[in-house]
Amino acid sequence: MFDELLKQTGIPADGAEKSVSTCPGKIFFLQRDFLEKYWTMAALPPDKLEMTAAFAAELEKMPDVRILAWHLYRYCLFTPIEEFRFQDFPEPLLDLGEQNTGLFYLLVCMSLLPVYRERAEREGFPVRYAEMAAERLGTSVCFHEQAHHGLFGLRPAQMIFMLHYRETATYRIGRFDFVIRTGLGQLPEIYRKNGEIVAFCNDNTPLAADGDVANEDNPAVRTARLVKDGTCVCGTPIDGITGKALADEITVDLADGWETIHQQEDWTLFFHIPGGGGMTPEKCEASFREAFAFFREFCPEKHFRVVWSSSWIFNPAWTEYLPESNLSKLIRCGELFPNIYHGQPGLHFVFGRECASPDDYTAKNSMERAMLQCWRDKGKLRSCGWFMLMDHFAEKSMFDAKK
């Protein structure tokens, strides 16, 4: 019977037999006391608790659907993130409708919140970072509202982000998520002399005519080169303001005072910007400062020197279209570099959907207006990488020195 339900919905059947045999008489994440305990921690709206708790109580009376909820809990708990098939979770689900489908996925995702605390206790980092991670859930409901006419709930596509706090070396510290990782061939090689920074494209990076990383819409016309002989570094440099590769190669002589800041195998702090707005300079700086202090103490052997990210958020066009915005203020604090992307980056995050033309949207705020204008101005809707040296603002605010 349950096998037929899985076939009907298309939801992955991994571990289905175990899900049926272990489903308890009361599912913990469908109980009111659980929801009341974690609702505020997850930064979910107080006025939606009663509606969600009432639906959870009704789910407990639906034999097949409650087993499905337990099955998805186990799927979220045990499936490696690279195998997680959120795209197979239907919207709407069965005959639950748009509203209750969103509530169903929200309840399943809430089941992971105790796991965050368990991880913090097991790994020995502050429990408050696990509690901060739970807030990601509350900032993700906006995507359901965008896609489903303002209805409250969670879309399956947002569930995979919540798995990072369970599985990967991801830590929510203040406004940002921080991830311990190497440059992975994305972050440029970085050198510094007397405050001047030179970043080189990685060797063999395919470059389009405009200096961006090539893609199917912007074909390659050249290949970046990076050659090192132990004393000199010669390669394709990057304009840190535009985030594009420059035309002519340059050489830096390490014997002339150039300091090596980052090479590809070095450990770095990658950060991701969860949705939710409120990315003020004060919150950004507090997040970075606390993260730097924590990681230097938590894993001092990794010698972090660079914090970086890549996203539509770091499109330098925002400094033109939204010059006084929080986005622009953050962009100006660091250096940009070319980053591979496809399509129209940022549309889904700003509008909750992707359409064929800017004329298919109606802009309701300055960010949406800037996004559409940027799209109409051909070649300006981009995704870029961004990095900042961690000692850049050791004794002063990161926002003091603006480009």
Side-chain angles (χ1 to χ4, degrees):
M1 182 72 174
F2 187 62
D3 289 343
E4 290 300 317
L5 183 66
L6 290 177
K7 290 179 182 178
Q8 181 183 348
T9 61
I11 286 174
D14 310 45
E17 185 175 338
K18 190 74 170 179
S19 295
V20 173
S21 65
T22 61
C23 188
K26 284 188 176 181
I27 296 177
F28 73 92
F29 56 88
L30 300 183
Q31 309 309 308
R32 176 178 285 273
D33 58 349
F34 173 87
L35 297 177
E36 290 176 346
K37 179 178 180 179
Y38 288 97
W39 197 263
T40 300
M41 183 191 302
L44 291 164
D47 62 329
K48 303 297 183 182
L49 173 58
E50 186 59 38
M51 173 183 67
T52 308
F55 174 66
E58 287 302 311
L59 272 184
E60 282 279 45
K61 302 174 186 177
M62 305 176 190
D64 290 338
V65 182
R66 71 185 300 276
I67 294 176
L68 184 63
W70 182 255
H71 172 64
L72 281 184
Y73 155 67
R74 296 187 70 256
Y75 183 77
C76 289
L77 190 62
F78 298 118
T79 304
I81 195 167
E82 66 273 9
E83 299 175 14
F84 191 78
R85 304 197 302 276
F86 66 86
Q87 63 273 15
D88 293 339
F89 296 7
E91 295 179 89
L93 175 65
L94 301 171
D95 58 355
L96 293 181
E98 288 182 298
Q99 175 75 82
N100 289 339
T101 293
L103 295 180
F104 179 89
Y105 292 130
L106 177 68
L107 289 165
V108 170
C109 213
M110 286 192 72
S111 70
L112 294 175
L113 302 188
V115 177
Y116 299 169
R117 276 181 164 164
E118 293 168 7
R119 178 190 160 211
E121 293 167 355
R122 182 174 65 253
E123 296 182 10
F125 64 85
V127 171
R128 71 177 183 277
Y129 295 162
E131 295 172 348
M132 289 177 184
E135 296 177 6
R136 178 69 178 267
L137 198 53
T139 60
S140 297
V141 296
C142 64
F143 298 108
H144 190 275
E145 293 173 352
Q146 289 173 326
H148 296 289
H149 314 290
L151 295 177
F152 176 70
L154 189 74
R155 300 198 73 189
Q158 298 304 311
M159 298 174 77
I160 193 168
F161 294 105
M162 304 301 294
L163 266 60
H164 281 285
Y165 306 117
R166 181 212 79 189
E167 181 174 333
T168 67
T170 300
Y171 307 81
R172 178 70 181 266
I173 303 177
R175 183 63 184 82
F176 303 128
D177 289 342
F178 292 89
V179 186
I180 300 172
R181 60 194 273 192
T182 63
L184 299 177
Q186 296 175 264
L187 185 63
E189 293 218 353
I190 304 168
Y191 299 84
R192 178 175 62 182
K193 176 184 176 182
N194 298 328
E196 180 185 358
I197 294 173
V198 171
F200 289 102
C201 292
N202 290 303
D203 196 32
N204 292 319
T205 300
L207 297 172
D210 61 1
D212 250 338
V213 177
N215 59 39
E216 66 272 14
D217 299 318
N218 201 9
V221 299
R222 59 185 172 123
T223 302
R225 197 172 71 102
L226 182 63
V227 179
K228 299 181 285 185
D229 64 6
T231 59
C232 292
V233 181
C234 178
T236 306
I238 298 165
D239 184 324
I241 295 178
T242 65
K244 293 186 176 184
L246 295 172
D248 298 324
E249 291 184 352
I250 65 170
T251 298
V252 298
D253 185 349
L254 299 179
D256 191 32
W258 284 95
E259 175 189 11
T260 302
I261 298 295
H262 173 75
Q263 298 182 91
Q264 285 311 301
E265 298 305 314
D266 295 340
W267 288 103
T268 68
L269 287 181
F270 179 86
F271 72 101
H272 184 267
I273 303 175
M279 199 173 67
T280 64
E282 293 77 16
K283 287 184 178 181
C284 292
E285 181 149 2
S287 184
F288 283 129
R289 286 191 181 277
E290 183 174 353
F292 297 170
F294 165 69
F295 287 111
R296 281 172 174 150
E297 180 179 351
F298 188 61
C299 38
E301 75 284 356
K302 290 189 165 58
H303 304 294
F304 300 110
R305 302 195 70 186
V306 180
V307 62
W308 65 288
S309 189
S310 58
S311 172
W312 65 273
I313 284 174
F314 297 108
N315 184 353
W318 307 141
T319 63
E320 174 186 349
Y321 295 110
L322 299 166
E324 299 304 315
S325 67
N326 290 330
L327 293 184
S328 295
K329 292 174 183 176
L330 181 60
I331 288 171
R332 294 189 190 105
C333 290
E335 304 281 329
L336 299 179
F337 61 90
N339 171 57
I340 191 168
Y341 62 89
H342 304 279
Q344 311 299 338
L347 280 182
H348 173 76
F349 292 99
V350 172
F351 291 99
R353 67 189 193 283
E354 295 186 31
C355 298
S357 165
D359 296 331
D360 295 328
Y361 299 90
T362 300
K364 299 177 183 177
N365 55 49
S366 59
M367 183 70 248
E368 293 179 355
R369 287 191 291 273
M371 175 70 74
L372 296 182
Q373 186 58 50
C374 193
W375 189 1
R376 291 186 175 100
D377 295 343
K378 189 175 181 181
K380 287 195 172 183
L381 197 55
R382 303 167 58 209
S383 173
C384 284
W386 179 99
F387 72 84
M388 182 176 64
L389 307 191
M390 290 173 64
D391 62 6
H392 184 68
F393 62 104
E395 297 180 356
K396 61 182 180 180
S397 169
M398 61 183 278
F399 291 92
D400 283 349
K402 296 183 178 180
K403 294 179 183 178

